[in-house]
Amino acid sequence: MFNEAFVCVDTETTGLLAHKDRVIEIGLVRVENGKEVDRFHTLLNPGVTLPDIITEITGLTDRDLVGAPKFADIADELASLMDGALFVAHNADFDFRFVQHEFARIEQDFAPERLCTVKLSRTLFPYERRHNLAALIESYGFQTDARHRAFEDALVVWNFL
């Protein structure tokens, strides 16, 4: 696997439904031949008010996002960073669906192959009771400065791999 390019991705969103909610933050680490070659992180202006629960979880407020770019503004750079790479995320379907919907809103296709590190953890460590990101951080002593922030969580995924 480490001979292929992959991108560890995490998103923070306005909710749980990719077809209606929006990405408010994206972070990624691109890896080629087992070495980190690029990083990307940005807040995104979703064009909607953040629900209170999202502010509680992420610490992000509407004020933080007001001057942030819209997804369309970063889409080309993001597509370039992800080009030819395996999309890797913890609960990959969630993050993938959100990114895919954001690209679809600007009429661009997005369909990389993906790897879910939740499924990988369950396969490698079936005796563990929990496989969420918090459990991995605790079990393996990963360091993170900010949980539920996209770039920090993407780094945890890379550390897990």
Side-chain angles (χ1 to χ4, degrees):
M1 175 183 149
F2 289 108
N3 293 330
E4 293 186 33
F6 60 91
V7 181
C8 298
V9 180
D10 190 73
T11 61
E12 300 303 329
T13 65
T14 60
L16 300 175
L17 303 173
H19 67 280
K20 99 174 187 101
D21 293 312
R22 303 301 298 262
V23 174
I24 59 172
E25 183 178 32
I26 189 163
L28 65 84
V29 178
R30 183 175 174 104
V31 178
E32 296 175 5
N33 298 313
K35 304 253 189 261
E36 180 182 321
V37 296
D38 213 339
R39 292 177 169 201
F40 179 84
H41 170 251
T42 190
L43 296 174
L44 293 166
N45 184 334
V48 298
T49 301
L50 287 182
D52 291 341
I53 187 69
I54 300 303
T55 296
E56 290 174 32
I57 293 169
T58 65
L60 294 171
T61 65
D62 291 324
R63 191 178 204 158
D64 296 320
L65 306 179
V66 72
K70 297 206 179 285
F71 186 85
D73 299 329
I74 58 103
D76 289 342
E77 183 177 6
L78 197 59
S80 177
L81 286 165
M82 293 187 184
D83 187 43
L86 180 68
F87 184 100
V88 180
H90 210 68
N91 194 7
D93 287 345
F94 179 87
D95 295 289
F96 173 78
R97 277 194 306 271
F98 270 92
V99 174
Q100 186 178 48
H101 275 275
E102 291 290 357
F103 274 109
R105 285 181 182 103
I106 58 170
E107 299 179 353
Q108 289 186 24
D109 290 329
F110 182 73
E113 291 189 39
R114 54 195 177 273
L115 171 71
C116 178
T117 53
V118 170
K119 292 177 183 176
L120 181 62
S121 179
R122 286 182 181 141
T123 299
L124 295 174
F125 309 106
Y127 50 85
E128 295 288 344
R129 288 184 37 217
R130 297 177 20 234
H131 297 275
N132 61 26
L133 214 49
L136 296 183
I137 291 167
E138 182 181 325
S139 294
Y140 303 106
F142 298 137
Q143 299 298 310
T144 183
D145 293 330
R147 274 290 287 124
H148 296 292
R149 294 301 305 271
F151 183 71
E152 292 291 329
D153 288 353
L155 281 176
V156 171
V157 171
W158 169 221
N159 288 328
F160 175 68
L161 289 177

